[in-house]
Amino acid sequence: QVQLVESGGGSVQAGGSLRLSCAASGRTFSNYPMGWFRQAPGKEREFVAAIRWGGAVTLYADSVKGRFTISRDNAKSTVYLQMNSLKPGDTAVYYCAAQRDNRDATNYRHYDYWGQGAQVTVSS
């Protein structure tokens, strides 16, 4: 079992930056591919970014590519999402998630563990 706790959400003006953190506890964190998803009111949960266990392979949604960076520190059992040049369209609840094995990293149905979510609000 893996427990995930997000932190770092908040409110920011367009063009600003935020960094989300996701602290993991439980089984060996470094073995799990990790992802970030977001969900705005009335919308389906959507893929934001993912990172494989070693950190060398990352994936991004086209909507955030070049603005967001996912990284992980296996020694601290933490994954990060650095968000720059934020836009009002980035407003959502952001969730971190972990997979037990390497499946489609962009599909939220392929993740086994989820955090409670962190609100990110970007005003114009």
Side-chain angles (χ1 to χ4, degrees):
Q1 192 74 8
V2 174
Q3 292 79 42
L4 304 173
V5 179
E6 298 100 337
S7 61
S11 297
V12 66
Q13 288 192 325
S17 298
L18 285 172
R19 188 176 81 157
L20 300 178
S21 300
C22 175
S25 60
R27 291 190 172 181
T28 306
F29 169 78
S30 60
N31 293 341
Y32 293 87
M34 302 290 295
W36 285 96
F37 290 78
R38 65 188 182 187
Q39 189 165 19
K43 294 189 177 181
E44 191 169 317
R45 191 166 297 191
E46 66 171 351
F47 170 74
V48 175
I51 187 166
R52 294 302 191 194
W53 68 270
V57 179
T58 56
L59 298 169
Y60 295 95
D62 288 343
S63 59
V64 307
K65 203 171 292 183
R67 300 188 298 123
F68 291 11
T69 302
I70 188 171
S71 61
R72 66 190 296 162
D73 185 338
N74 287 338
K76 296 182 178 179
S77 297
T78 301
V79 64
Y80 304 97
L81 185 69
Q82 178 66 43
M83 304 183 292
N84 298 329
S85 302
L86 282 161
K87 304 174 181 180
D90 296 318
T91 296
V93 177
Y94 283 71
Y95 298 90
C96 72
Q99 292 182 318
R100 284 196 292 262
D101 50 33
N102 285 324
R103 287 166 283 169
D104 179 5
T106 66
N107 188 335
Y108 71 87
R109 298 177 180 86
H110 291 176
Y111 284 78
D112 304 288
Y113 308 103
W114 290 87
Q116 82 286 356
Q119 177 69 48
V120 171
T121 302
V122 184
S123 58
S124 57

